Amino acid sequence: MRITIDAKPRRGLRVIQEIPNIPLCRIEGYNGMGKTSAIKLLQLCVGDQPFAGQEAAWQTFRDQLSDTSIRITDLKGASSVEWEINPSQWPVTPEPLGNSVGRISIDGSSRDIMHVRELLEIHHIRADETISNILAKYAEKSRDHLRGWLDTHGTPRQVELDNALTYIQDLITAASPAQLPLEIHKADAARAEAAAVNQQLVALTEQVELLKKAVAVSEKLDQVRGRGPELDEKLAELDRARRELIEQKARLDEEIKHASERQQRDTEAEKEFSLAQKHFARQETKVVEAETELRIACEGAGIAASKPSIEQARKAAAKRLKDLVALQPQVNATPLLINLLRDLLSPLHQAEQGDLGEQTLLEELGAQTHITVTTLREAVARQLEAFEQQRPTSSAEELAVSIDMARAKLTKLVDLDALVQKVDTARDTKKRASERLSTAAANLPPTTARALNDLLTQRNNIDDRATTLQGQHARLQQARELLGGGQSEDALLAELLRLCASAEVEASRVRRRLQEKAEDLDRVTKRHALAEQAATRATRVASERLIQIHSVIKELSQAENSWIRRISPGIDGLERATPQVQVQELQNILSATESARNRLELAISSVQGIAGALNRTVDLLEKQEGTTGTWNDSVRLWLGEEVRRWFDNDNVKQALFESGSSIFLDPLTMIVSWKNGDGADQRRPLAAFSSGQQALAFTRARMAQLDREPPRASNRLIALDEFGSVIDRDAMAYLAKYLTERSVGKPSEQVVVILPLREGTLDHSRKEAPERVKSLELRGYFAEPLLLEQAR
């Protein structure tokens, strides 16, 4: 590249006018001609600030530099770059100028500083720096790079990743999958316990029913043994009395018939009387039958055979049934309510899982109370548990039996209405038949009518006595049938023995055994209710846990969490897996995310530790003080390895280390160690090397540093400044040879070696002397290619 500078500085500041397009260029001239000022001006033009921390020098340079034009040609990526500079517009403090450097144009078009930085970079290497300085700057640059990475990428990315991992962990932890196996085990155990208690309950229920039957048979047997013979004797007596009345009635009927036949043979009145008598007899029989049926039914119901008694008993039975039914909700929770509460509980729980727990679900009118999803779910859970604790016990079962008995009694009493109606109908028919008979008798001759009337009166009296006996007989017959269930003493005894054998109890101990088993049944019934409740709760807990786990798996399977598939490739099919597999996989994901968080934290803390160690190393190199530590030792070895690479050049090795190998610089002690050609260990403090050797080592170090960094622009200018004051001719020859070899394959890079005018430069015996003299007279410096023989 060719650089021309048109500057008109004032008050002593000078800037050289040109740097020619020479890839390896040597600029030599009088001191104070502006060689270094030109390089610093070019650094300002590409966005660097060479005066950082040098406010006085910056103020002087800014004030003494007037309007300046700079043009660079022969660039890769552009034909020309031009600057029009007005230093009076620059800031008064030494800060990067950016676009305020002046007007910039590339190939005739206006551009900004970012385009320039993509096109050109300037590096100024001064020979008066030391290895310690460059190591400090290298460590400082690495430190700043790490800190910048931490601030802009590392820490924000750590926070982002840590938040993502924490979200997954919180999601899984909230579901507590590790508890599922225990909850499933508890649910299975609770159901097994409930089943076992249920078997006990069934067995005890069967035993109690068997014992109840045995006790009932025993009581019937006692009744039969006590009152059976007495009732049989009374029934026999009533039967004899009834037969006698029937015989008397038959004789009277015969007398009435003969009387009628004697007095009015073949008359119409006699025929009507005969028919009326027969009709009355039939209706009388129906009344007796209906009344007998009603008395028997009333005796069975335990009430008098009258309409008011039946009506009163029916109302009492209806009220009793109503009262018993009203007691049911107090003893046993309604199954419909339990099912309804269970149906409500699951969606409320799912809503909480969806972060809707604090959302207002109901707002009471006229009040400040707000019912949230969580408060409603808790209230539903409490009420459900209260209902489930009211499972049927023995008292509830007794209530159910009482309700059935009351309902059956009411049904019987309702059926009695039909019997009453039947009796009333029969009595009305009998009354009409009696009236017909009386009319027929009245139509007979007076003497015959009086005789028949007397006979009919006797017959009616016999009917009344027969009716009374029939009622007594019905009552006793009902009592006899109820007594012992209609069975004989032998039959009852055989039944009792059979039942006692089935119940494995002696007949004499059956009542005591029933009491014991009833108490056992009551205890087991309560145990069964508690076991059922425990099984229901345990099953519900396990089911809710499964719902939570399925929700977590569904969330983890979402597209935004696709990175989890690297941890769990089978996450998409996990919902269909067994609970054990689901729990294990979620535990694996939880463990993997925790491990990832630890690695992430370790990585960031490691980078922070390296940055801190680099910072302490910078202090040590700049101030010759510092501390030691694990990371300091690592940074020390790292810097030593970097220095070895800087010196990894045959020319430098020959000049400084007798062509040795295994070169290592300890940056903390600044002692160089190496092996000479014979393999012997060599050690020498860097200060023991000559200034020229140190300058050569420094230059090699800086150039190696540049070679290690990727170029940030298409073109690069490297200026080696102030070398003539510290480097001798031999070292210069090594440097020239190194730079010549290095320049191979770098067509877009230009190296300028800036030297003061040295003795022998104007040797008139050399052919280039006239051109040098002419350039010195016109500009105070000359520029030419750096040649190996000139270096010597």
Side-chain angles (χ1 to χ4, degrees), residues 709-727:
E709 298 175 355
R712 68 170 184 265
S714 304
N715 303 272
R716 177 187 281 178
L717 174 66
I718 301 173
L720 305 181
D721 197 4
E722 300 293 343
F723 277 81
S725 59
V726 296
I727 196 167

Side-chain angles (χ1 to χ4, degrees), residues 246-434:
I246 291 172
E247 291 175 355
Q248 293 178 18
K249 183 178 176 182
R251 286 195 298 271
L252 285 174
D253 286 340
E254 190 66 27
E255 289 181 18
I256 291 171
K257 178 180 178 182
H258 290 314
S260 174
E261 290 177 348
R262 283 193 305 268
Q263 298 297 328
Q264 294 290 338
R265 296 185 180 273
D266 300 326
T267 65
E268 291 297 326
E270 188 275 341
K271 292 180 180 179
E272 173 59 21
F273 180 81
S274 177
L275 292 174
Q277 183 185 16
K278 293 177 180 178
H279 177 65
F280 177 77
R282 289 196 301 270
Q283 300 308 318
E284 185 182 42
T285 301
K286 291 181 180 180
V287 169
V288 171
E289 291 176 350
E291 288 179 345
T292 300
E293 185 178 2
L294 176 62
R295 286 193 181 94
I296 292 173
C298 289
E299 288 292 336
I303 58 175
S306 65
K307 241 181 185 180
S309 298
I310 294 173
E311 181 65 18
Q312 183 179 1
R314 186 169 59 78
K315 290 181 179 180
K319 183 177 183 303
R320 170 67 174 167
L321 178 61
K322 182 179 178 181
D323 292 342
L324 290 174
V325 172
L327 287 175
Q328 276 189 311
Q330 303 175 18
V331 180
N332 183 22
T334 305
L336 180 62
L337 290 178
I338 293 179
N339 293 333
L340 178 60
L341 291 176
R342 285 175 178 169
D343 292 341
L344 284 174
L345 194 60
S346 180
L348 290 172
H349 183 76
Q350 292 178 359
E352 283 187 301
Q353 293 298 312
D355 295 330
L356 298 177
E358 299 303 320
Q359 291 293 320
T360 299
L361 191 62
L362 298 173
E363 184 173 350
E364 294 186 6
L365 298 177
Q368 299 298 321
T369 302
H370 297 278
I371 301 176
T372 65
V373 172
T374 297
T375 56
L376 182 58
R377 196 266 305 160
E378 292 173 349
V380 169
R382 287 194 299 270
Q383 189 60 51
L384 178 61
E385 185 173 1
F387 278 159
E388 288 179 339
Q389 288 177 354
Q390 297 176 4
R391 289 287 184 175
T393 60
S394 58
S395 59
E397 292 180 352
E398 292 172 1
L399 177 62
V401 172
S402 299
I403 290 175
D404 291 339
M405 293 175 62
R407 186 175 288 113
K409 182 175 182 179
L410 181 60
T411 301
K412 289 181 179 180
L413 291 173
V414 171
D415 292 340
L416 287 178
D417 288 339
L419 294 179
V420 170
Q421 183 65 32
K422 183 177 179 180
V423 170
D424 290 343
T425 301
R427 286 176 176 173
D428 289 342
T429 304
K430 177 184 176 183
K431 181 179 179 182
R432 289 193 297 271
S434 177

